[in-house]
Amino acid sequence: MKRVLTVALVIGLSATIGGCALFGSWWGPKRAAWRSEAERACLTAGAVQPSADVRPMGEIDGPGTCGADRPFKVSAVGRRSKAPLNESTALNCPMVAAVDDWFDRIVQPAAEADFGQPVVGIEHMGSYNCRPIAGHRQMSEHAYMNALDVSGFKLADGRTVRVKNGWRSGDAVEVAFLNTVGAAACEDFTTVLGPDAGAAHADHIHLDLARHGQGRRVCKGGSEPVPEGGRLLSFFEGAERTGSVPKGSDGEDEDDPAALDR
């Protein structure tokens, strides 16, 4: 009799645990709908073309709200000319398109103008990381493959211009280049945070496509003025303009995003 009861208890506990896991996946926290909408719009527009450098991945779903529906494994950025990343990384479709656009329109022309040579490589410090913003309950955009931390630019002659050393260096050309690519990034991204945004970004330029309340942008990537509203890629505009979500929940800023380690 004891043996029967023990077996029944084990089966019951297994079913309970399994049920919790099952119902947790059904009824647990969900990613904000605008994230999926932006991905679908990007894919439908053909803004990202799969290649050896941009490979489709399967859905990343969880833990919690983390992940993306149809992300890409990216090993190089740019459309007109490719710049390999120091390490392959996962990005959602809108971020791939925005990074390519920024690189082609801003980074390469600035490098040619300031250094007389192109950028042939990009160093970054990460994209996907299922974590909240340091010290806050709000999830980082990194949790949704919706952010990239750029730390350096490798030039054709082998020199690397790094944010950590170059932002306030005595080399006026490096300073000008980094300020240009950081400031103008807010034309393509909704959040740009460089060393001027605080110590948390002293060694990189944080780029993301967060949705801020009332279409607001956070532009602290350089000293150059950015036209109000910027120029979000067309496939993302609809999702970005749908307004804010409840403060502190998925996708909305805290009071001072520039002071946070996003």
Side-chain angles (χ1 to χ4, degrees), residues 20-260:
C20 287
L22 178 60
F23 285 107
S25 66
W26 285 353
W27 304 110
K30 304 292 184 183
R31 287 193 294 277
W34 69 265
R35 298 187 184 278
S36 293
E37 292 166 6
E39 282 194 80
R40 283 195 299 271
C42 175
L43 293 163
T44 300
V48 174
Q49 295 299 318
S51 67
D53 300 312
V54 182
R55 292 172 285 124
M57 301 171 62
E59 179 184 10
I60 304 298
D61 187 14
T65 62
C66 292
D69 294 347
R70 293 175 64 184
F72 293 86
K73 193 75 168 181
V74 181
S75 58
V77 302
R79 298 187 187 92
R80 293 194 289 270
S81 63
K82 289 289 186 180
L85 297 175
N86 59 313
E87 183 179 353
S88 295
T89 194
L91 291 170
N92 65 28
C93 184
M95 273 298 294
V96 176
V99 171
D100 283 348
D101 195 61
W102 170 67
F103 180 77
D104 286 343
R105 289 192 318 106
I106 304 300
V107 176
Q108 285 294 41
E112 291 286 2
D114 291 336
F115 302 111
Q117 58 184 308
V119 168
V120 297
I122 295 287
E123 292 185 355
H124 72 93
M125 300 174 67
S127 57
Y128 180 51
N129 189 351
C130 184
R131 64 168 176 82
I133 295 171
H136 292 258
R137 63 189 176 87
Q138 178 188 348
M139 293 301 288
S140 166
E141 290 303 305
H142 286 287
Y144 308 106
M145 306 181 194
N146 201 39
L148 182 68
D149 291 339
V150 175
S151 58
F153 304 84
K154 184 178 179 181
L155 302 175
D157 65 3
R159 171 184 179 184
T160 299
V161 180
R162 292 190 171 89
V163 175
K164 182 176 182 178
N165 301 321
W167 195 266
R168 296 184 177 89
S169 74
D171 188 326
V173 178
E174 284 195 4
V175 172
F177 169 76
L178 291 172
N179 268 268
T180 295
V181 300
C186 224
E187 296 179 3
D188 290 300
F189 302 94
T190 56
T191 312
V192 182
L193 303 173
D196 290 345
H201 302 91
D203 55 1
H204 65 275
I205 300 172
H206 170 95
L207 309 170
D208 76 39
L209 285 172
R211 187 181 69 174
H212 303 302
Q214 300 177 355
R216 185 170 62 92
R217 289 171 185 253
V218 177
C219 302
K220 295 184 180 292
S223 58
E224 293 187 2
V226 178
E228 185 176 352
R231 59 167 302 281
L232 278 182
L233 296 171
S234 60
F235 63 80
F236 192 68
E237 289 177 353
E240 199 271 340
R241 290 175 180 170
T242 55
S244 63
V245 293
K247 183 174 178 177
S249 63
D250 180 17
E252 179 67 0
D253 271 345
E254 300 289 353
D255 289 337
D256 185 10
L260 306 176

